[in-house]
Amino acid sequence: MKSVLLIGLGRFGRSIAEKLNEMHHQVMAVDRDEARVNDVLPLVTDAQIGDSTNETFLRSLGVDNYDVCFVAIGEDFQSSLETTSLLKELGAKKVVSRASREVHRKFLLRNGADDVVYPEKQLAAWTAVRHTTALVQDYIALDQEYAIYDLFVPAEWNGKTVGALDIRKKYSLNLLAIRGSGQPSIAVTSDTVLRENQTILVLGKWKDVQRCFRL
Ligand code: ATP
């Protein structure tokens, strides 16, 4: 169980609170808007109404005790930046801040953020890939080039072995796991036979995935 400080309870912050609650983490939620704080109460361990740009208020939360601090303020960049840098100054172990413009990312990183999330852009990229390519169920970008793709096994691969397809040699793609109806299997060998109703996790570059799966 992790202890988390969550600042900013708009739609994004609230969704983070929902997920953290599902994961049984300990969460202190903060917003300057009383109604937003009240709304999130059933999901969190503790909550405070306050302005996170106020140093005295932020200090009173004991920010160095949390494993991670999320700054989920989006539009009000001044508040987001001030909160991020104050958190770091007050000894926060890990600060993850939300950007709502590309240019915000580097300012946040330079001013105390250990990591930056850019939900609109990240989700837009995911949506574009997911919904224009029938075989792709999901993907996680690892960097600008590489990603792990969760793909349906193409119909023409049905009954073929991993060795016969040889996608590592032909397309520089690594087959990491195969999933049927149950748990994914990571025990993939060249004799493993693929079935049309399975999905596979493949690590590689998008251009190689496109070539291999004719996307
Ligand atoms: P979302 O896009 O997540 O729905 P939003 O558009 O409602 O958010 P944002 O400006 O992104 O609003 O702010 C997110 C939340 O952060 C709001 O609930 C706002 O009250 C809160 N917030 C903004 N600045 C501060 C601050 N300085 N201290 C505390 N809370 C703040």
Side-chain angles (χ1 to χ4, degrees):
M1 190 175 61
K2 299 269 179 187
S3 64
V4 177
L5 174 61
L6 173 60
I7 299 172
L9 304 172
R11 286 158 300 175
F12 182 61
R14 193 191 151 85
S15 299
I16 295 181
E18 282 168 9
K19 192 67 195 175
L20 292 172
N21 179 44
E22 248 176 68
M23 296 163 82
H24 305 293
H25 290 309
Q26 210 169 5
V27 179
M28 160 67 90
V30 171
D31 201 292
R32 59 186 175 194
D33 180 320
E34 186 178 352
R36 293 204 165 170
V37 172
N38 287 337
D39 272 357
V40 88
L41 280 179
L43 301 171
V44 296
T45 329
D46 213 342
Q48 294 263 343
I49 304 159
D51 183 344
S52 59
T53 62
N54 178 322
E55 185 173 343
T56 315
F57 169 68
L58 211 54
R59 192 185 291 278
S60 75
L61 301 173
V63 300
D64 52 337
N65 292 319
Y66 297 95
D67 296 306
V68 54
C69 303
F70 289 110
V71 183
I73 303 169
E75 282 311 310
D76 185 349
F77 182 56
Q78 183 74 20
S79 275
S80 156
L81 195 63
E82 280 180 36
T83 304
T84 299
S85 74
L86 268 176
L87 283 169
K88 211 58 198 178
E89 264 173 57
L90 294 172
K93 290 180 196 138
K94 181 173 180 183
V95 182
V96 180
S97 301
R98 169 192 179 183
S100 55
R101 309 259 182 287
E102 187 60 49
V103 66
H104 293 172
R105 183 195 295 275
K106 69 169 187 281
F107 285 109
L108 289 164
L109 286 169
R110 266 194 221 142
N111 287 282
D114 296 292
D115 207 346
V116 172
V117 286
Y118 187 174
E120 282 87 353
K121 185 154 187 182
Q122 285 164 340
L123 190 60
W126 182 87
T127 305
V129 172
R130 168 69 183 85
H131 295 286
T132 55
T133 44
L135 288 178
V136 180
Q137 287 216 93
D138 200 356
Y139 84 102
I140 305 164
L142 302 180
D143 61 20
Q144 292 289 74
E145 272 191 325
Y146 286 90
I148 296 174
Y149 296 88
D150 190 1
L151 295 140
F152 290 109
V153 170
E156 60 273 25
W157 288 16
N158 190 30
K160 294 196 173 148
T161 63
V162 170
L165 290 163
D166 204 10
I167 63 169
R168 181 178 292 165
K169 200 180 272 162
K170 291 185 192 151
Y171 300 100
S172 310
L173 296 175
N174 263 304
L175 182 49
L176 304 176
I178 299 175
R179 195 166 46 191
S181 47
Q183 290 285 318
S185 163
I186 52 165
V188 182
T189 69
S190 55
D191 298 328
T192 305
V193 177
L194 294 171
R195 298 283 169 211
E196 208 182 330
N197 55 359
Q198 294 172 322
T199 65
I200 47 180
L201 285 186
V202 170
L203 166 66
K205 293 184 187 174
W206 172 241
K207 68 172 175 47
D208 295 326
V209 170
Q210 270 182 311
R211 277 195 308 129
C212 177
F213 294 87
R214 299 188 176 86
L215 301 175

